[in-house]
Amino acid sequence: MAADRTATRADFESFCRDVRIPIVFIDSSPFEQPREYPPNVAFVGCSSAEIGGKAADWLAKTVNDRGIDSPDVLVIASTEHPDRQNTFVARLQAALPSAQITVNDQAMYDRKRSSEIVDQHLDRVGTIHAIFCTNDEMALGAVDTIQRRAAAGNSPQDLIVVGVDATREAVATIDSGGTAFRATVVQASRQVAEVAVSTLLKLRAGGRVETVTIIPTTIHPIGHASSAAHGPRG
């Protein structure tokens, strides 16, 4: 997995060139375009843009079904995987032009930091309709704040939280139906692993492989039993 693609790309380029053995990146890649990959390198994973788009489409339909034309939406993200939040914002704004969207990309996939960001945002604006977090750990942090405020009688009504990853805790929280956590984007981790191993073995044997293989994502919403594998953080 390549973290902070902009800062580390040169290091990864020299690493891939110097080791001269097959390399398969998962989750994120240091290269933006297939033509930039060295001959011994491939990527298997989910599309960050698709993740953001899936979350936006689901949320747009959900708030439309509730009769909300101008939702106030908070996006809690990290500087990694920026396409998740960027595509989410663009897709949601296209579907709901009058939506008010605030993005905070400083949560660093941290539950406590996300909880604090939600607290500060609610203190500042009062009421919001939805929160999109670019991983489930941050979504659970958002839920922590909402639950604490609810216990004190100071929580927005019908608030919707959407996450990414379908971790076991997130799916269990969604399926309980007792919190604002309503959906998560599922990355099929088992399928990613299987294809990554197959790709690595083919590269090792000198075979031809797809330079970039994108595994489709799905949505796990409230009331829906997911059979997808549960993914790791990030």
Side-chain angles (χ1 to χ4, degrees):
M1 173 183 169
D4 197 357
R5 181 167 62 191
T6 301
T8 60
R9 174 173 168 163
D11 292 332
F12 276 111
E13 284 180 341
S14 60
F15 169 74
C16 293
R17 181 179 62 249
D18 294 343
V19 296
R20 298 182 181 180
I21 60 174
I23 300 169
V24 177
F25 289 97
I26 61 172
D27 195 57
S28 64
S29 170
F31 308 109
E32 292 186 20
Q33 302 295 331
R35 65 176 180 273
E36 298 171 351
Y37 284 72
N40 60 320
V41 180
F43 169 76
V44 178
C46 300
S47 163
S48 289
E50 180 186 308
I51 288 170
K54 277 259 171 70
D57 292 344
W58 185 91
L59 185 59
K61 183 179 185 306
T62 301
V63 297
N64 266 328
D65 289 346
R66 294 185 177 190
I68 303 170
D69 298 323
S70 304
D72 290 299
V73 180
L74 172 63
V75 178
I76 301 177
S78 168
T79 52
E80 293 182 33
H81 304 298
D83 283 349
R84 292 185 185 182
Q85 58 261 34
N86 294 342
T87 304
F88 173 86
V89 171
R91 188 79 67 88
L92 189 66
Q93 204 81 72
L96 301 169
S98 56
Q100 300 298 312
I101 306 173
T102 302
V103 179
N104 187 314
D105 65 359
Q106 298 302 305
M108 298 173 63
Y109 292 139
D110 184 83
R111 184 168 180 162
K112 184 178 179 182
R113 287 177 68 94
S114 175
S115 178
E116 292 168 350
I117 288 168
V118 174
D119 231 352
Q120 294 163 6
H121 189 76
L122 287 172
D123 284 343
R124 188 165 59 251
V125 305
T127 299
I128 55 177
H129 298 98
I131 300 172
F132 170 55
C133 299
T134 57
N135 88 335
D136 282 339
E137 193 68 9
M138 295 187 295
L140 290 165
V143 171
D144 291 341
T145 288
I146 295 164
Q147 294 289 86
R148 178 175 51 76
R149 283 178 170 253
N154 182 30
S155 178
Q157 297 298 310
D158 298 322
L159 182 55
I160 303 164
V161 175
V162 182
V164 175
D165 279 340
T167 63
R168 284 182 170 82
E169 184 178 1
V171 169
T173 303
I174 292 167
D175 290 349
S176 75
T179 74
F181 204 166
R182 300 306 174 96
T184 182
V185 181
V186 183
Q187 300 187 76
S189 301
R190 184 179 298 278
Q191 187 179 358
V192 169
E194 289 172 349
V195 175
V197 170
S198 174
T199 300
L200 190 63
L201 292 175
K202 287 178 182 177
L203 279 171
R204 185 182 178 190
R208 297 185 63 181
V209 302
E210 292 291 332
T211 302
V212 175
T213 302
I214 299 299
I215 305 299
T217 59
T218 57
I219 287 276
H220 179 95
I222 189 168
H224 175 74
S226 173
S227 60
H230 302 307
R233 168 190 173 276

mmCIF file of all heavy atoms in Angstrom, residues 53-77:
data_model
loop_
_atom_site.group_PDB
_atom_site.id
_atom_site.type_symbol
_atom_site.label_atom_id
_atom_site.label_comp_id
_atom_site.label_asym_id
_atom_site.label_seq_id
_atom_site.Cartn_x
_atom_site.Cartn_y
_atom_site.Cartn_z
ATOM 1 N N GLY A 53 -18.336 8.409 -5.150
ATOM 2 C CA GLY A 53 -19.542 8.515 -5.958
ATOM 3 C C GLY A 53 -20.678 7.649 -5.431
ATOM 4 O O GLY A 53 -21.835 8.086 -5.395
ATOM 5 N N LYS A 54 -20.348 6.421 -5.004
ATOM 6 C CA LYS A 54 -21.374 5.537 -4.457
ATOM 7 C C LYS A 54 -22.009 6.145 -3.207
ATOM 8 O O LYS A 54 -23.223 6.099 -3.009
ATOM 9 C CB LYS A 54 -20.744 4.185 -4.102
ATOM 10 C CG LYS A 54 -20.612 3.238 -5.297
ATOM 11 C CD LYS A 54 -21.732 2.197 -5.280
ATOM 12 C CE LYS A 54 -21.734 1.393 -6.579
ATOM 13 N NZ LYS A 54 -20.603 0.494 -6.715
ATOM 14 N N ALA A 55 -21.160 6.685 -2.335
ATOM 15 C CA ALA A 55 -21.675 7.300 -1.106
ATOM 16 C C ALA A 55 -22.570 8.498 -1.422
ATOM 17 O O ALA A 55 -23.627 8.683 -0.813
ATOM 18 C CB ALA A 55 -20.510 7.726 -0.213
ATOM 19 N N ALA A 56 -22.147 9.310 -2.389
ATOM 20 C CA ALA A 56 -22.941 10.485 -2.755
ATOM 21 C C ALA A 56 -24.283 10.098 -3.360
ATOM 22 O O ALA A 56 -25.320 10.692 -3.025
ATOM 23 C CB ALA A 56 -22.147 11.352 -3.737
ATOM 24 N N ASP A 57 -24.277 9.098 -4.238
ATOM 25 C CA ASP A 57 -25.530 8.661 -4.865
ATOM 26 C C ASP A 57 -26.511 8.129 -3.818
ATOM 27 O O ASP A 57 -27.703 8.421 -3.856
ATOM 28 C CB ASP A 57 -25.249 7.584 -5.917
ATOM 29 C CG ASP A 57 -24.492 8.124 -7.123
ATOM 30 O OD1 ASP A 57 -24.438 9.357 -7.296
ATOM 31 O OD2 ASP A 57 -23.956 7.296 -7.890
ATOM 32 N N TRP A 58 -25.984 7.328 -2.883
ATOM 33 C CA TRP A 58 -26.847 6.768 -1.840
ATOM 34 C C TRP A 58 -27.421 7.880 -0.959
ATOM 35 O O TRP A 58 -28.615 7.889 -0.647
ATOM 36 C CB TRP A 58 -26.058 5.775 -0.989
ATOM 37 C CG TRP A 58 -26.912 5.064 0.018
ATOM 38 C CD1 TRP A 58 -27.566 3.876 -0.145
ATOM 39 C CD2 TRP A 58 -27.218 5.506 1.344
ATOM 40 N NE1 TRP A 58 -28.260 3.550 0.999
ATOM 41 C CE2 TRP A 58 -28.066 4.531 1.930
ATOM 42 C CE3 TRP A 58 -26.858 6.628 2.097
ATOM 43 C CZ2 TRP A 58 -28.561 4.647 3.229
ATOM 44 C CZ3 TRP A 58 -27.349 6.746 3.392
ATOM 45 C CH2 TRP A 58 -28.191 5.765 3.948
ATOM 46 N N LEU A 59 -26.556 8.822 -0.586
ATOM 47 C CA LEU A 59 -27.015 9.897 0.295
ATOM 48 C C LEU A 59 -28.007 10.815 -0.413
ATOM 49 O O LEU A 59 -29.012 11.234 0.179
ATOM 50 C CB LEU A 59 -25.826 10.707 0.808
ATOM 51 C CG LEU A 59 -26.154 11.787 1.838
ATOM 52 C CD1 LEU A 59 -26.829 11.188 3.068
ATOM 53 C CD2 LEU A 59 -24.894 12.548 2.230
ATOM 54 N N ALA A 60 -27.750 11.129 -1.674
ATOM 55 C CA ALA A 60 -28.666 11.991 -2.424
ATOM 56 C C ALA A 60 -30.054 11.373 -2.494
ATOM 57 O O ALA A 60 -31.070 12.063 -2.291
ATOM 58 C CB ALA A 60 -28.119 12.234 -3.829
ATOM 59 N N LYS A 61 -30.134 10.083 -2.764
ATOM 60 C CA LYS A 61 -31.431 9.408 -2.815
ATOM 61 C C LYS A 61 -32.103 9.401 -1.451
ATOM 62 O O LYS A 61 -33.317 9.629 -1.328
ATOM 63 C CB LYS A 61 -31.270 7.981 -3.322
ATOM 64 C CG LYS A 61 -32.598 7.233 -3.466
ATOM 65 C CD LYS A 61 -32.397 5.840 -3.978
ATOM 66 C CE LYS A 61 -33.748 5.153 -4.243
ATOM 67 N NZ LYS A 61 -34.643 5.167 -3.065
ATOM 68 N N THR A 62 -31.305 9.162 -0.409
ATOM 69 C CA THR A 62 -31.871 9.088 0.939
ATOM 70 C C THR A 62 -32.449 10.416 1.389
ATOM 71 O O THR A 62 -33.572 10.477 1.923
ATOM 72 C CB THR A 62 -30.803 8.608 1.935
ATOM 73 O OG1 THR A 62 -30.319 7.315 1.524
ATOM 74 C CG2 THR A 62 -31.374 8.496 3.343
ATOM 75 N N VAL A 63 -31.715 11.503 1.185
ATOM 76 C CA VAL A 63 -32.241 12.807 1.617
ATOM 77 C C VAL A 63 -33.395 13.248 0.718
ATOM 78 O O VAL A 63 -34.338 13.898 1.185
ATOM 79 C CB VAL A 63 -31.135 13.881 1.684
ATOM 80 C CG1 VAL A 63 -30.088 13.517 2.716
ATOM 81 C CG2 VAL A 63 -30.492 14.125 0.325
ATOM 82 N N ASN A 64 -33.354 12.873 -0.573
ATOM 83 C CA ASN A 64 -34.487 13.168 -1.455
ATOM 84 C C ASN A 64 -35.742 12.463 -0.982
ATOM 85 O O ASN A 64 -36.834 13.036 -0.980
ATOM 86 C CB ASN A 64 -34.163 12.742 -2.892
ATOM 87 C CG ASN A 64 -33.606 13.883 -3.720
ATOM 88 O OD1 ASN A 64 -33.964 15.032 -3.503
ATOM 89 N ND2 ASN A 64 -32.743 13.565 -4.667
ATOM 90 N N ASP A 65 -35.582 11.203 -0.584
ATOM 91 C CA ASP A 65 -36.723 10.444 -0.080
ATOM 92 C C ASP A 65 -37.308 11.072 1.178
ATOM 93 O O ASP A 65 -38.495 10.898 1.479
ATOM 94 C CB ASP A 65 -36.311 8.998 0.224
ATOM 95 C CG ASP A 65 -36.045 8.188 -1.046
ATOM 96 O OD1 ASP A 65 -36.424 8.657 -2.137
ATOM 97 O OD2 ASP A 65 -35.459 7.094 -0.933
ATOM 98 N N ARG A 66 -36.473 11.801 1.905
ATOM 99 C CA ARG A 66 -36.934 12.472 3.125
ATOM 100 C C ARG A 66 -37.466 13.884 2.833
ATOM 101 O O ARG A 66 -37.848 14.602 3.747
ATOM 102 C CB ARG A 66 -35.806 12.557 4.147
ATOM 103 C CG ARG A 66 -35.368 11.207 4.673
ATOM 104 C CD ARG A 66 -34.347 11.341 5.771
ATOM 105 N NE ARG A 66 -33.973 10.035 6.316
ATOM 106 C CZ ARG A 66 -33.234 9.886 7.413
ATOM 107 N NH1 ARG A 66 -32.783 10.945 8.064
ATOM 108 N NH2 ARG A 66 -32.943 8.672 7.843
ATOM 109 N N GLY A 67 -37.441 14.270 1.566
ATOM 110 C CA GLY A 67 -37.950 15.587 1.189
ATOM 111 C C GLY A 67 -37.025 16.731 1.513
ATOM 112 O O GLY A 67 -37.465 17.881 1.633
ATOM 113 N N ILE A 68 -35.718 16.444 1.628
ATOM 114 C CA ILE A 68 -34.737 17.490 1.944
ATOM 115 C C ILE A 68 -34.054 17.921 0.649
ATOM 116 O O ILE A 68 -33.298 17.157 0.042
ATOM 117 C CB ILE A 68 -33.691 16.981 2.950
ATOM 118 C CG1 ILE A 68 -34.371 16.472 4.218
ATOM 119 C CG2 ILE A 68 -32.690 18.083 3.291
ATOM 120 C CD1 ILE A 68 -33.439 15.738 5.168
ATOM 121 N N ASP A 69 -34.311 19.139 0.219
ATOM 122 C CA ASP A 69 -33.743 19.626 -1.036
ATOM 123 C C ASP A 69 -32.397 20.317 -0.861
ATOM 124 O O ASP A 69 -31.584 20.366 -1.786
ATOM 125 C CB ASP A 69 -34.710 20.609 -1.707
ATOM 126 C CG ASP A 69 -36.029 19.960 -2.076
ATOM 127 O OD1 ASP A 69 -36.003 18.782 -2.493
ATOM 128 O OD2 ASP A 69 -37.080 20.614 -1.935
ATOM 129 N N SER A 70 -32.171 20.881 0.333
ATOM 130 C CA SER A 70 -30.949 21.652 0.581
ATOM 131 C C SER A 70 -30.260 21.155 1.849
ATOM 132 O O SER A 70 -30.234 21.857 2.874
ATOM 133 C CB SER A 70 -31.275 23.148 0.713
ATOM 134 O OG SER A 70 -31.959 23.618 -0.426
ATOM 135 N N PRO A 71 -29.707 19.951 1.810
ATOM 136 C CA PRO A 71 -29.105 19.403 3.031
ATOM 137 C C PRO A 71 -27.800 20.096 3.405
ATOM 138 O O PRO A 71 -27.045 20.546 2.537
ATOM 139 C CB PRO A 71 -28.849 17.941 2.664
ATOM 140 C CG PRO A 71 -28.628 17.970 1.187
ATOM 141 C CD PRO A 71 -29.565 19.023 0.670
ATOM 142 N N ASP A 72 -27.547 20.174 4.697
ATOM 143 C CA ASP A 72 -26.245 20.604 5.210
ATOM 144 C C ASP A 72 -25.443 19.334 5.479
ATOM 145 O O ASP A 72 -25.861 18.484 6.283
ATOM 146 C CB ASP A 72 -26.412 21.416 6.490
ATOM 147 C CG ASP A 72 -27.027 22.773 6.226
ATOM 148 O OD1 ASP A 72 -26.403 23.554 5.485
ATOM 149 O OD2 ASP A 72 -28.123 23.043 6.746
ATOM 150 N N VAL A 73 -24.301 19.204 4.818
ATOM 151 C CA VAL A 73 -23.535 17.965 4.871
ATOM 152 C C VAL A 73 -22.105 18.259 5.322
ATOM 153 O O VAL A 73 -21.453 19.166 4.807
ATOM 154 C CB VAL A 73 -23.507 17.270 3.487
ATOM 155 C CG1 VAL A 73 -22.703 15.970 3.553
ATOM 156 C CG2 VAL A 73 -24.930 17.003 2.997
ATOM 157 N N LEU A 74 -21.637 17.470 6.278
ATOM 158 C CA LEU A 74 -20.248 17.556 6.732
ATOM 159 C C LEU A 74 -19.491 16.348 6.195
ATOM 160 O O LEU A 74 -19.945 15.210 6.347
ATOM 161 C CB LEU A 74 -20.192 17.571 8.265
ATOM 162 C CG LEU A 74 -18.796 17.469 8.903
ATOM 163 C CD1 LEU A 74 -17.928 18.667 8.523
ATOM 164 C CD2 LEU A 74 -18.912 17.335 10.422
ATOM 165 N N VAL A 75 -18.337 16.594 5.582
ATOM 166 C CA VAL A 75 -17.472 15.527 5.088
ATOM 167 C C VAL A 75 -16.233 15.484 5.973
ATOM 168 O O VAL A 75 -15.519 16.477 6.112
ATOM 169 C CB VAL A 75 -17.060 15.759 3.619
ATOM 170 C CG1 VAL A 75 -16.124 14.647 3.148
ATOM 171 C CG2 VAL A 75 -18.292 15.836 2.729
ATOM 172 N N ILE A 76 -15.999 14.323 6.585
ATOM 173 C CA ILE A 76 -14.828 14.140 7.441
ATOM 174 C C ILE A 76 -13.884 13.193 6.724
ATOM 175 O O ILE A 76 -14.251 12.061 6.398
ATOM 176 C CB ILE A 76 -15.227 13.581 8.820
ATOM 177 C CG1 ILE A 76 -16.214 14.539 9.494
ATOM 178 C CG2 ILE A 76 -13.989 13.383 9.689
ATOM 179 C CD1 ILE A 76 -16.725 14.034 10.824
ATOM 180 N N ALA A 77 -12.654 13.660 6.487
ATOM 181 C CA ALA A 77 -11.752 12.921 5.612
ATOM 182 C C ALA A 77 -10.316 13.011 6.088
ATOM 183 O O ALA A 77 -10.008 13.550 7.167
ATOM 184 C CB ALA A 77 -11.877 13.460 4.180
#
